[in-house]
Amino acid sequence: MRMQVARIGKPHGIRGEVTVQVLTDAPEERFVKGAQFHVVNGPVERLTIRSARWNKAILLLGFEEIADRNAAETLRQARLEFDTEDEQEDDQDQWYEHELVDLKVMLEGEQVGVITEMRTGTAQDLLVFKGNDGEEVFLPFVEEFVPEIDLEAGTMTITPPAGLLEVNREEGGKN
């Protein structure tokens, strides 16, 4: 099984480093020199970490296969994944973005959108989905609002309080 641990952002500097959105609880253990990752939606299949350092709150990674800024630019929005033997099937409370993206969002038996991403936060995660009207909607990823996820059916049932979906639209909702 593969787990997504990062999404690559923009290049940093001229030596091929990139910024990454960290999607793992243990970045200090995962992003070490010599660690190898599968690349999804990138120009190469695998990358090996050459360097890892923090610049304030942003993780910067350098890869053996990427020598300069132009090559780093081709990695933008690629996902880094690793193989794991720990499938964690017993842990029902832990979800990874790659498991949730493209799930149909169901409210009272009707589809109201499709999950496009999960934003990890310090207090809680935030689900982002595209509503049927094409607008981006934000929903706190808490059990109270997301009581059921059925990967086999490809659905996520939500039960937000009245008005929450309208308030949490990308631009504050329509009047």
Side-chain angles (χ1 to χ4, degrees):
M1 181 170 144
R2 287 190 184 171
M3 298 284 180
Q4 181 180 353
V5 292
R7 180 181 299 125
I8 296 177
K10 62 184 180 178
H12 180 83
I14 61 171
R15 294 191 176 108
E17 285 185 312
V18 295
T19 62
V20 295
Q21 177 188 13
V22 176
L23 303 172
T24 179
D25 292 338
E28 295 81 15
E29 297 171 19
R30 183 72 53 213
F31 303 110
V32 296
K33 185 175 181 174
Q36 293 188 343
F37 297 94
H38 296 277
V39 180
V40 179
N41 296 330
V44 295
E45 291 183 26
R46 295 185 68 81
L47 288 172
T48 306
I49 292 184
R50 176 183 72 231
S51 64
R53 65 187 177 97
W54 290 92
N55 182 7
K56 300 181 182 173
I58 298 172
L59 180 61
L60 302 174
L61 295 179
F63 301 103
E64 298 289 338
E65 300 82 357
I66 304 298
D68 59 31
R69 185 179 184 89
N70 291 337
E73 183 66 45
T74 66
L75 293 174
R76 195 182 286 245
Q77 297 303 313
R79 298 188 327 249
L80 297 180
E81 297 181 346
F82 75 98
D83 289 318
T84 179
E85 288 79 35
D86 304 326
E87 295 191 20
Q88 302 177 359
E89 289 181 19
D90 295 334
D91 190 355
Q92 296 296 320
D93 294 333
Q94 188 166 1
W95 299 96
Y96 295 94
E97 181 178 35
H98 69 276
E99 296 174 305
L100 302 176
V101 168
D102 296 329
L103 289 182
K104 297 174 188 166
V105 180
M106 307 299 288
L107 176 63
E108 298 175 355
E110 293 188 29
Q111 182 177 344
V112 295
V114 176
I115 297 292
T116 57
E117 71 177 289
M118 178 176 72
R119 296 183 183 169
T120 56
T122 54
Q124 70 187 31
D125 296 334
L126 188 66
L127 293 170
V128 181
F129 69 92
K130 189 173 204 168
N132 292 340
D133 59 2
E135 297 246 356
E136 197 168 55
V137 182
F138 304 96
L139 179 69
F141 191 17
V142 294
E143 188 173 2
E144 181 180 351
F145 301 158
V146 185
E148 183 180 339
I149 296 173
D150 187 342
L151 295 180
E152 288 182 21
T155 61
M156 172 185 293
T157 301
I158 64 171
T159 57
L164 182 68
L165 297 183
E166 289 73 25
V167 169
N168 286 323
R169 288 190 175 269
E170 183 177 27
E171 302 203 9
K174 293 181 179 177
N175 293 334

